[in-house]
Amino acid sequence: MKSLLVGMMVASTLGAAPSKTVALVGTVHSEDIGNQTSSRAMWLPTQPKRIEQFEFHLKRPMKAVQLEYQCHLQDLGDSGWLPEGTPCGTQGESRRLEAFGIRLRGEGAHLYTVRYWCLVEGMERPMGPLTDGAMCGTTGESRKLLGMQVELVRK
């Protein structure tokens, strides 16, 4: 029940979805659950499980704007920046994702803002919103990333 309430808190921080929001989609791989797809780039589990891998992409590709992201993995550190649609993390290694960051690239990147939130093991409230590649989660604390939400909004 606690995780459901935390998930609702994250959703309520956004209020009504802005009409300028650009649709993102993707997949998250979680411990004991496997791959879960989302058409809203939101993973707020009712039963928190360790996130091990994710990938996001724009539902409708844009020539002038691309997402890039990186993740911080247990025992491996930062992945480096990856283009949208590329898996970030691992599957089958039981390795926790501890943090992630997302930024925009391309000629039209200045017209948009990417905002994201995360739910971290042991924290009462979700972190965020964060923007511009800032890491959401923790590094060096061995905490699991349990939930995430991402949105791309036209300025």
Side-chain angles (χ1 to χ4, degrees):
M1 183 65 167
K2 182 178 178 182
S3 63
L4 179 59
L5 292 175
V6 171
M8 290 168 48
M9 267 190 341
V10 169
S12 70
T13 62
L14 301 177
S19 59
K20 297 179 180 181
T21 300
V22 177
L24 298 172
V25 294
T27 304
V28 167
H29 183 85
S30 297
E31 164 191 28
D32 298 332
I33 296 172
N35 289 339
Q36 304 165 76
T37 58
S38 173
S39 59
R40 293 182 9 205
M42 182 184 331
W43 293 269
L44 301 170
T46 54
Q47 290 186 326
K49 295 288 186 174
R50 168 187 71 233
I51 294 175
E52 298 174 349
Q53 184 182 70
F54 71 88
E55 70 82 15
F56 301 123
H57 58 275
L58 299 170
K59 187 172 184 176
R60 294 177 191 222
M62 292 189 274
K63 287 182 181 179
V65 178
Q66 299 85 40
L67 294 175
E68 288 185 327
Y69 42 76
Q70 67 175 344
C71 54
H72 184 85
L73 295 161
Q74 171 188 358
D75 301 326
L76 296 178
D78 293 342
S79 64
W81 291 100
L82 302 168
E84 64 182 273
T86 303
C88 196
T90 62
Q91 287 190 27
E93 296 182 25
S94 298
R95 191 179 306 275
R96 72 181 163 268
L97 185 69
E98 297 176 346
F100 70 97
I102 303 174
R103 65 185 184 190
L104 300 174
R105 290 288 174 239
E107 293 174 15
H110 67 283
L111 300 172
Y112 296 87
T113 298
V114 61
R115 296 187 295 214
Y116 42 97
W117 294 257
C118 63
L119 180 60
V120 178
E121 175 185 44
M123 292 189 176
E124 289 293 317
R125 301 185 62 188
M127 292 178 70
L130 295 158
T131 62
D132 301 323
M135 293 300 272
C136 195
T138 62
T139 58
E141 296 182 31
S142 300
R143 294 184 187 217
K144 300 174 191 175
L145 197 63
L146 301 172
M148 51 199 324
Q149 181 171 355
V150 181
E151 68 178 10
L152 181 62
V153 181
R154 187 167 175 88
K155 292 181 181 177

Short mmCIF file of all heavy atoms in Angstrom, two decimals, residues 79-112:
data_model
loop_
_atom_site.label_atom_id
_atom_site.label_comp_id
_atom_site.label_asym_id
_atom_site.label_seq_id
_atom_site.Cartn_x
_atom_site.Cartn_y
_atom_site.Cartn_z
N SER A 79 26.91 4.44 -17.30
CA SER A 79 26.94 3.76 -18.60
C SER A 79 27.51 4.64 -19.70
O SER A 79 27.89 4.13 -20.74
CB SER A 79 25.51 3.37 -18.99
OG SER A 79 24.72 4.54 -19.18
N GLY A 80 27.52 5.93 -19.52
CA GLY A 80 27.80 6.84 -20.63
C GLY A 80 26.49 7.17 -21.32
O GLY A 80 25.48 6.50 -21.12
N TRP A 81 26.47 8.22 -22.13
CA TRP A 81 25.23 8.65 -22.77
C TRP A 81 24.87 7.74 -23.93
O TRP A 81 25.72 7.41 -24.76
CB TRP A 81 25.37 10.10 -23.23
CG TRP A 81 25.42 11.02 -22.07
CD1 TRP A 81 26.54 11.60 -21.53
CD2 TRP A 81 24.33 11.44 -21.26
NE1 TRP A 81 26.20 12.36 -20.44
CE2 TRP A 81 24.84 12.28 -20.24
CE3 TRP A 81 22.96 11.20 -21.28
CZ2 TRP A 81 24.02 12.87 -19.28
CZ3 TRP A 81 22.15 11.78 -20.31
CH2 TRP A 81 22.69 12.61 -19.33
N LEU A 82 23.60 7.34 -23.97
CA LEU A 82 23.09 6.42 -24.99
C LEU A 82 21.95 7.09 -25.76
O LEU A 82 21.15 7.82 -25.17
CB LEU A 82 22.56 5.15 -24.33
CG LEU A 82 23.56 4.37 -23.48
CD1 LEU A 82 22.84 3.31 -22.65
CD2 LEU A 82 24.60 3.73 -24.37
N PRO A 83 21.82 6.81 -27.07
CA PRO A 83 20.71 7.38 -27.83
C PRO A 83 19.39 6.70 -27.46
O PRO A 83 19.38 5.54 -27.05
CB PRO A 83 21.09 7.09 -29.28
CG PRO A 83 22.01 5.92 -29.21
CD PRO A 83 22.72 6.01 -27.89
N GLU A 84 18.29 7.45 -27.62
CA GLU A 84 16.97 6.90 -27.31
C GLU A 84 16.75 5.57 -28.02
O GLU A 84 17.27 5.34 -29.11
CB GLU A 84 15.87 7.88 -27.67
CG GLU A 84 15.73 8.19 -29.14
CD GLU A 84 14.63 9.20 -29.40
OE1 GLU A 84 13.47 8.79 -29.55
OE2 GLU A 84 14.94 10.40 -29.46
N GLY A 85 16.01 4.68 -27.34
CA GLY A 85 15.73 3.36 -27.88
C GLY A 85 16.79 2.32 -27.56
O GLY A 85 16.60 1.14 -27.83
N THR A 86 17.92 2.74 -26.99
CA THR A 86 19.00 1.82 -26.63
C THR A 86 18.79 1.36 -25.18
O THR A 86 18.58 2.19 -24.31
CB THR A 86 20.37 2.52 -26.74
OG1 THR A 86 20.52 3.02 -28.05
CG2 THR A 86 21.50 1.57 -26.40
N PRO A 87 18.84 0.05 -24.91
CA PRO A 87 18.69 -0.41 -23.53
C PRO A 87 19.81 0.13 -22.64
O PRO A 87 20.97 0.15 -23.03
CB PRO A 87 18.77 -1.93 -23.64
CG PRO A 87 18.40 -2.23 -25.05
CD PRO A 87 18.92 -1.07 -25.86
N CYS A 88 19.43 0.60 -21.45
CA CYS A 88 20.38 1.11 -20.45
C CYS A 88 20.23 0.23 -19.22
O CYS A 88 19.17 0.20 -18.59
CB CYS A 88 20.04 2.56 -20.13
SG CYS A 88 21.35 3.44 -19.28
N GLY A 89 21.25 -0.54 -18.89
CA GLY A 89 21.20 -1.47 -17.77
C GLY A 89 21.51 -2.87 -18.24
O GLY A 89 22.12 -3.07 -19.29
N THR A 90 21.07 -3.85 -17.45
CA THR A 90 21.34 -5.25 -17.76
C THR A 90 20.08 -6.09 -17.56
O THR A 90 19.17 -5.69 -16.85
CB THR A 90 22.45 -5.82 -16.85
OG1 THR A 90 22.00 -5.76 -15.50
CG2 THR A 90 23.74 -5.05 -17.01
N GLN A 91 20.08 -7.26 -18.17
CA GLN A 91 19.05 -8.27 -17.93
C GLN A 91 19.75 -9.57 -17.61
O GLN A 91 20.78 -9.89 -18.19
CB GLN A 91 18.15 -8.47 -19.15
CG GLN A 91 17.20 -7.33 -19.38
CD GLN A 91 16.17 -7.65 -20.46
OE1 GLN A 91 15.83 -8.81 -20.70
NE2 GLN A 91 15.67 -6.63 -21.12
N GLY A 92 19.20 -10.33 -16.66
CA GLY A 92 19.74 -11.64 -16.32
C GLY A 92 20.97 -11.60 -15.43
O GLY A 92 21.59 -12.62 -15.21
N GLU A 93 21.36 -10.44 -14.93
CA GLU A 93 22.53 -10.32 -14.06
C GLU A 93 22.17 -9.95 -12.63
O GLU A 93 23.06 -9.83 -11.79
CB GLU A 93 23.49 -9.26 -14.63
CG GLU A 93 24.07 -9.62 -15.97
CD GLU A 93 25.06 -8.57 -16.48
OE1 GLU A 93 25.64 -7.83 -15.66
OE2 GLU A 93 25.24 -8.49 -17.71
N SER A 94 20.88 -9.71 -12.36
CA SER A 94 20.42 -9.27 -11.03
C SER A 94 21.19 -8.05 -10.55
O SER A 94 21.55 -7.94 -9.39
CB SER A 94 20.54 -10.42 -10.01
OG SER A 94 19.73 -11.49 -10.39
N ARG A 95 21.44 -7.13 -11.45
CA ARG A 95 22.20 -5.92 -11.14
C ARG A 95 21.23 -4.74 -11.07
O ARG A 95 20.50 -4.47 -12.01
CB ARG A 95 23.24 -5.68 -12.24
CG ARG A 95 24.26 -4.63 -11.92
CD ARG A 95 25.26 -4.50 -13.06
NE ARG A 95 25.90 -5.73 -13.44
CZ ARG A 95 27.00 -6.24 -12.87
NH1 ARG A 95 27.55 -5.62 -11.85
NH2 ARG A 95 27.53 -7.36 -13.29
N ARG A 96 21.24 -4.03 -9.95
CA ARG A 96 20.28 -2.95 -9.77
C ARG A 96 20.70 -1.67 -10.52
O ARG A 96 21.86 -1.33 -10.60
CB ARG A 96 20.06 -2.64 -8.29
CG ARG A 96 21.21 -1.97 -7.61
CD ARG A 96 20.96 -1.71 -6.12
NE ARG A 96 22.23 -1.43 -5.49
CZ ARG A 96 23.01 -2.34 -4.93
NH1 ARG A 96 22.62 -3.60 -4.85
NH2 ARG A 96 24.17 -1.99 -4.42
N LEU A 97 19.68 -0.99 -11.02
CA LEU A 97 19.83 0.35 -11.56
C LEU A 97 19.69 1.28 -10.37
O LEU A 97 18.74 1.16 -9.60
CB LEU A 97 18.73 0.60 -12.59
CG LEU A 97 18.76 1.89 -13.36
CD1 LEU A 97 19.93 1.89 -14.32
CD2 LEU A 97 17.47 2.06 -14.12
N GLU A 98 20.65 2.18 -10.17
CA GLU A 98 20.65 3.04 -8.99
C GLU A 98 20.30 4.49 -9.31
O GLU A 98 19.85 5.22 -8.44
CB GLU A 98 22.01 2.96 -8.29
CG GLU A 98 22.31 1.56 -7.77
CD GLU A 98 23.68 1.41 -7.14
OE1 GLU A 98 24.55 2.30 -7.32
OE2 GLU A 98 23.90 0.39 -6.48
N ALA A 99 20.52 4.93 -10.54
CA ALA A 99 20.21 6.30 -10.94
C ALA A 99 20.17 6.39 -12.46
O ALA A 99 20.71 5.53 -13.15
CB ALA A 99 21.26 7.26 -10.38
N PHE A 100 19.55 7.45 -12.95
CA PHE A 100 19.53 7.72 -14.39
C PHE A 100 19.44 9.22 -14.62
O PHE A 100 19.00 9.97 -13.76
CB PHE A 100 18.37 6.99 -15.09
CG PHE A 100 17.01 7.54 -14.76
CD1 PHE A 100 16.40 8.45 -15.60
CD2 PHE A 100 16.34 7.15 -13.61
CE1 PHE A 100 15.15 8.97 -15.29
CE2 PHE A 100 15.09 7.65 -13.30
CZ PHE A 100 14.49 8.57 -14.14
N GLY A 101 19.86 9.65 -15.79
CA GLY A 101 19.74 11.03 -16.22
C GLY A 101 19.31 11.05 -17.67
O GLY A 101 19.62 10.14 -18.42
N ILE A 102 18.58 12.10 -18.06
CA ILE A 102 18.09 12.22 -19.43
C ILE A 102 18.33 13.65 -19.90
O ILE A 102 18.15 14.61 -19.14
CB ILE A 102 16.58 11.91 -19.52
CG1 ILE A 102 16.29 10.52 -18.96
CG2 ILE A 102 16.08 12.03 -20.96
CD1 ILE A 102 14.82 10.19 -18.88
N ARG A 103 18.76 13.79 -21.14
CA ARG A 103 18.94 15.11 -21.72
C ARG A 103 18.46 15.09 -23.16
O ARG A 103 18.24 14.03 -23.74
CB ARG A 103 20.39 15.56 -21.63
CG ARG A 103 21.35 14.73 -22.44
CD ARG A 103 22.79 15.15 -22.21
NE ARG A 103 23.70 14.40 -23.08
CZ ARG A 103 25.00 14.42 -22.97
NH1 ARG A 103 25.58 15.14 -22.03
NH2 ARG A 103 25.76 13.73 -23.81
N LEU A 104 18.34 16.27 -23.73
CA LEU A 104 17.89 16.43 -25.11
C LEU A 104 19.03 16.88 -25.99
O LEU A 104 19.90 17.63 -25.55
CB LEU A 104 16.75 17.45 -25.19
CG LEU A 104 15.51 17.11 -24.38
CD1 LEU A 104 14.53 18.27 -24.43
CD2 LEU A 104 14.87 15.84 -24.90
N ARG A 105 19.00 16.46 -27.24
CA ARG A 105 19.99 16.85 -28.23
C ARG A 105 19.25 17.21 -29.51
O ARG A 105 18.13 16.79 -29.73
CB ARG A 105 20.99 15.71 -28.52
CG ARG A 105 21.91 15.43 -27.37
CD ARG A 105 22.93 16.56 -27.25
NE ARG A 105 23.75 16.39 -26.08
CZ ARG A 105 23.84 17.28 -25.11
NH1 ARG A 105 23.15 18.39 -25.14
NH2 ARG A 105 24.63 17.08 -24.09
N GLY A 106 19.92 17.95 -30.36
CA GLY A 106 19.36 18.29 -31.67
C GLY A 106 19.03 19.76 -31.79
O GLY A 106 19.01 20.50 -30.80
N GLU A 107 18.78 20.19 -33.02
CA GLU A 107 18.51 21.60 -33.32
C GLU A 107 17.31 22.15 -32.57
O GLU A 107 17.26 23.33 -32.23
CB GLU A 107 18.28 21.78 -34.82
CG GLU A 107 19.49 21.51 -35.68
CD GLU A 107 19.16 21.57 -37.16
OE1 GLU A 107 18.08 22.08 -37.53
OE2 GLU A 107 19.97 21.09 -37.95
N GLY A 108 16.31 21.31 -32.30
CA GLY A 108 15.09 21.77 -31.64
C GLY A 108 15.06 21.52 -30.15
O GLY A 108 14.04 21.77 -29.49
N ALA A 109 16.16 21.07 -29.57
CA ALA A 109 16.18 20.73 -28.14
C ALA A 109 15.82 21.92 -27.26
O ALA A 109 15.19 21.75 -26.22
CB ALA A 109 17.55 20.18 -27.76
N HIS A 110 16.19 23.12 -27.68
CA HIS A 110 15.90 24.32 -26.88
C HIS A 110 14.40 24.62 -26.78
O HIS A 110 13.98 25.41 -25.95
CB HIS A 110 16.65 25.53 -27.44
CG HIS A 110 16.17 25.95 -28.79
ND1 HIS A 110 16.52 25.26 -29.94
CD2 HIS A 110 15.36 26.96 -29.17
CE1 HIS A 110 15.94 25.84 -30.98
NE2 HIS A 110 15.23 26.89 -30.53
N LEU A 111 13.59 23.98 -27.60
CA LEU A 111 12.14 24.21 -27.59
C LEU A 111 11.41 23.31 -26.59
O LEU A 111 10.20 23.48 -26.38
CB LEU A 111 11.56 23.96 -28.99
CG LEU A 111 12.12 24.83 -30.10
CD1 LEU A 111 11.60 24.36 -31.46
CD2 LEU A 111 11.76 26.29 -29.86
N TYR A 112 12.13 22.37 -25.97
CA TYR A 112 11.52 21.38 -25.08
C TYR A 112 12.27 21.27 -23.77
O TYR A 112 13.44 21.62 -23.68
CB TYR A 112 11.50 19.99 -25.75
CG TYR A 112 10.65 19.95 -26.99
CD1 TYR A 112 11.16 20.30 -28.22
CD2 TYR A 112 9.32 19.56 -26.90
CE1 TYR A 112 10.37 20.27 -29.36
CE2 TYR A 112 8.52 19.52 -28.03
CZ TYR A 112 9.05 19.88 -29.26
OH TYR A 112 8.26 19.85 -30.37
#
